[in-house]
Amino acid sequence: GQVISLTFYAMITPVNATVSTLQIQLYIITAIMILAAVAIALVLSDVIAKPLVGLNDRAKKLSKGNYNADFIASGYLEVKELSDTLNSTAIELSKVDELRRQLIANISHDLRTPLALIYSYAEMMQDFPDEITTTQVQTIMSETRRLSSLVNDILDVSKLETGAMELHMYHYNLTESIGETVARLSELLKNDGYSIVFQHSEDVYVTADEAKITQAFYNLLTNAVNYSSEDRHITVTQSREQKSVRIEVLDHGEGIAQENIPYIWDRYYKVDKKHKRAITGTGLGLSIVKKIFELHGACYGVESELGKGSVFWFQLEIQ
Ligand code: ADP
């Protein structure tokens, strides 16, 4: 019995010592681990959350219309990407805002002038009812026409911009359609000494939105009329290429300087602003033309020489 109990004690003592050593070690390790976890959490939150907090502050400014909120690209890759995205968003938003301001300024200027003219002529007619002249009446009429064409152009532009303008594509006789537009405008302008000739051989069918293509072509044709000088001959040509048909509108007018050509398709761009008032122009015509051809995926362009005239052209695919 003694031997057994001795052995028992001898074995218990080292086990106890080991257990307590292990326990202490476990406490120390746990403490170290907790400290390390806290430290890592602090570092991580600093790396992840801090740049996000900064981005959020700037995004709040951006939402209030401060487009200069510069998003600083710091932190890890995703945060850098996010701040780059936000930066480009801010730039795009500021561009849109600038365009909107310009558009409103232009529109209100264009609306104010004819309205003031109409008002002053109407006032004169009220004050001197016996002295009403045809010029006064004509001015009122032409200014009213200017206003309504401006309002129509603005509506078209905004429809095209918001994407509300859908294409209603169908197969139709382009030659016949162009011919009708030419005939309609010739009839309107024949007393002003304009001659518009349509040169074509065969009838060509295309799949497109007839109303929109007609509108674009009409804009090109009225521009040719508006910018004609003494020579009032305008030629419209239809020529067939392998898989497409090309329509050209040629005038012998004032032409466009090479350096201005890239800008004429922009909204509200007019080469000569002083001269323009005499002619009914809104500066929106070619931007509508551009949108329509882009919606169709059609090629279009202009060749022009100052003092000699211009050729505006577009090309539609034949299926
Ligand atoms: P507008 O209403 O002023 O005619 P557009 O957008 O149709 O506006 O044209 C923009 C500008 O391009 C015009 O102001 C004019 O300076 C120039 N332009 C357009 N068509 C012609 C042309 N056939 N000949 C000369 N200049 C042209």
Side-chain angles (χ1 to χ4, degrees), residues 17-237:
T18 317
V19 166
S20 69
T21 318
L22 278 178
Q23 237 169 10
I24 290 163
Q25 274 177 4
L26 187 69
Y27 288 144
I28 292 169
I29 287 169
T30 311
I32 290 171
M33 288 305 270
I34 289 171
L35 281 177
V38 168
I40 288 170
L42 283 176
V43 169
L44 274 184
S45 78
D46 200 53
V47 171
I48 297 171
K50 232 190 190 162
L52 284 179
V53 171
L55 285 184
N56 191 30
D57 284 346
R58 290 192 173 78
K60 276 185 196 155
K61 280 191 203 153
L62 181 65
S63 74
K64 291 199 182 97
N66 178 2
Y67 302 119
N68 298 325
D70 193 17
F71 294 94
I72 300 154
S74 70
Y76 56 101
L77 190 66
E78 281 82 358
V79 173
K80 277 188 190 134
E81 270 177 19
L82 178 61
S83 64
D84 284 346
T85 310
L86 286 169
N87 267 332
S88 52
T89 309
I91 292 168
E92 285 306 311
L93 280 175
S94 72
K95 274 192 212 155
V96 171
D97 197 52
E98 178 57 29
L99 265 179
R100 186 180 56 84
R101 266 180 240 262
Q102 266 177 19
L103 202 67
I104 290 177
N106 283 329
I107 289 172
S108 38
H109 173 265
D110 277 2
L111 291 179
R112 211 180 302 133
T113 329
L115 281 176
L117 256 169
I118 291 170
Y119 184 83
S120 69
Y121 274 78
E123 205 176 28
M124 261 187 329
M125 291 161 100
Q126 192 202 31
D127 292 345
F128 311 101
D130 301 333
E131 292 169 31
I132 296 174
T133 62
T134 37
T135 337
Q136 287 169 337
V137 182
Q138 268 168 5
T139 309
I140 292 186
M141 281 165 65
S142 68
E143 290 299 309
T144 316
R145 208 176 303 131
R146 240 181 78 77
L147 277 178
S148 65
S149 82
L150 175 65
V151 171
N152 283 337
D153 278 0
I154 292 167
L155 282 177
D156 282 346
V157 168
S158 82
K159 269 194 228 154
L160 286 163
E161 302 263 296
T162 53
M165 210 180 238
E166 287 169 29
L167 291 183
H168 303 287
M169 309 278 272
Y170 52 92
H171 203 60
Y172 76 97
N173 189 332
L174 177 76
T175 317
E176 196 180 285
S177 175
I178 295 279
E180 277 167 13
T181 312
V182 169
R184 192 154 46 96
L185 204 67
S186 301
E187 183 60 29
L188 264 175
L189 295 168
K190 66 168 188 251
N191 295 330
D192 298 325
Y194 289 99
S195 88
I196 311 174
V197 178
F198 181 30
Q199 292 176 339
H200 62 284
S201 44
E202 71 216 285
D203 277 16
V204 174
Y205 285 77
V206 291
T207 301
D209 185 322
E210 182 174 1
K212 308 257 159 30
I213 295 292
T214 306
Q215 186 186 3
F217 172 67
Y218 187 80
N219 283 359
L220 294 181
L221 201 56
T222 47
N223 273 353
V225 169
N226 283 337
Y227 299 101
S228 274
S229 30
E230 276 91 77
D231 188 340
R232 297 188 164 183
H233 290 86
I234 291 152
T235 315
V236 178
T237 331

